[in-house]
Amino acid sequence: MYAQLVETGAKAVKTLDQMEPQERAFQERINAGIKTEPKDWMPEAYRKTLVRQISQHAHSEYVGMLPEANWITRAPTLKRKAILLAKVQDEAGHALYLYSAVETLGVTRDQTYLDLLSGKAKYSSIFNYPTLTWADIGAIGWLVDGSAIVNQIPLCRCSYGPYARAMVRVCKEESFHQRQGFDIMQALCKGTPEQKAMAQDALNRWWWPSLAMHGPPDELSANSAQSMAWKIKQNSNDELRQRFIDQTAPQIEFLGLALPDADLKWNEARGHYDYGAIDWEEFFNVVNGKGPCNQERLAARNQAWEEGAWFREAMSAYAAKQEQSDMQGAT
Ligand code: FAQ
């Protein structure tokens, strides 16, 4: 069934004896846990994989600001508004660290960004869903940042130095984000029956997209095997999805909410929660531009780019003027 949804399965990974000496030496350094830095030699496919993953990650942080920014003017209290503003700003910061990491791989920031605007580059499926109520802001912090942390903690040990180092700070901030989301959910669950129902509705809508955001199942994950051999990824998509479910199911019970999946049950023999079937057709539709908000998200980012043209021009003119006066000062 899955084979109808995507063209490619896992790609073959070369063994050490199939590699040329330079590539073998590179792989041996990776196997020994030595980080690769921007000026080190690296296989072209390793560089391209990093550009692909890190730029998608940067775009996700940047587009990910939009669903939450939708609620900044409508946050229920001044305190909640200040917290949400700070969180959305943090996401912009994460995008900046990541766009900088991509630049270390020889791609300009403008090119990376234009690939997002033209629709060529991917960003996380999760940000193509709408934020209909205030409880969605709680659900995003709790479930989406929760998923992001599970995914990103192993990335702190990624073999590419600049990405690994960026992830350390990102993870620290994401952990605050996750707690603020859980705090919103807790407040709603302790509130009126209407507030609790709003929290339940948000959980029901965000649960499945949060599981899918970990990426396609392992048998459909074209990049995982090679990325794990290069230690860009440390774990497969299904492993991280299971880790997220195991840590989040007890939190649902703690909040007193109903489980969003009838098959979500602790399996003593496996030592993990079992869970129901994820709708991969929906996932691939969203990834391919047919989610509920894909067009709106790209339109918002294109509008920001166009409206910021005067500012970029002013910055370039200022930099040119500075350079000219520095040169005059030097002569
Ligand atoms: N959405 O072979 P795999 C956040 C694509 S940050 C869209 O398994 P891979 C913070 C994938 O690109 C969230 N596309 O790929 C925040 C590939 O297509 P390609 C973002 C997806 O790379 C919180 C194809 O499917 N986090 O939330 C998705 O080995 C709140 C086959 O997949 C990161 O980017 C998806 N969900 O594994 C911000 C973390 N999943 O490129 C604001 C870094 C897969 O061959 C508010 N990235 N695809 O054409 C990763 O860890 C990996 O790239 C995975 C995918 C795990 C996402």
Side-chain angles (χ1 to χ4, degrees), residues 52-53 56-57 60-61 64-65 68 87 91 122-125 127 140 144-145 148 151-152 155 163 174 212-216 221-224 227 233 237 283 287:
R52 179 186 64 79
Q53 177 167 326
Q56 285 175 6
H57 193 166
S60 304
E61 301 281 358
M65 296 167 71
E68 290 176 291
K87 178 190 192 292
E91 307 300 357
K122 290 190 169 86
Y123 59 86
S124 183
S125 49
F127 301 117
I140 289 184
V144 178
D145 285 278
N151 168 271
Q152 287 169 185
L155 291 176
Y163 191 27
E174 300 288 28
M213 81 181 263
H214 289 274
S221 170
N223 304 295
S224 279
S227 287
K233 284 168 83 163
N237 300 351
F283 169 80
V287 171

Side-chain angles (χ1 to χ4, degrees), residues 288-306:
N288 291 321
K290 293 184 216 120
C293 299
N294 294 59
Q295 288 182 5
E296 187 185 328
R297 301 291 183 240
L298 271 194
R301 282 298 165 236
N302 273 289
Q303 187 185 351
W305 177 256
E306 282 154 23

Side-chain angles (χ1 to χ4, degrees), residues 27-46:
Q27 186 64 50
E28 280 167 351
R29 281 168 58 91
I30 297 269
N31 295 348
I34 300 169
K35 295 249 181 286
T36 303
E37 296 298 337
K39 289 186 178 162
D40 294 340
W41 183 88
M42 60 186 85
E44 183 55 15
Y46 175 83

Side-chain angles (χ1 to χ4, degrees), residues 244-257:
F244 170 72
I245 292 169
D246 289 349
Q247 98 188 12
T248 311
Q251 295 170 359
I252 300 175
E253 283 166 353
F254 178 83
L255 287 171
L257 293 172

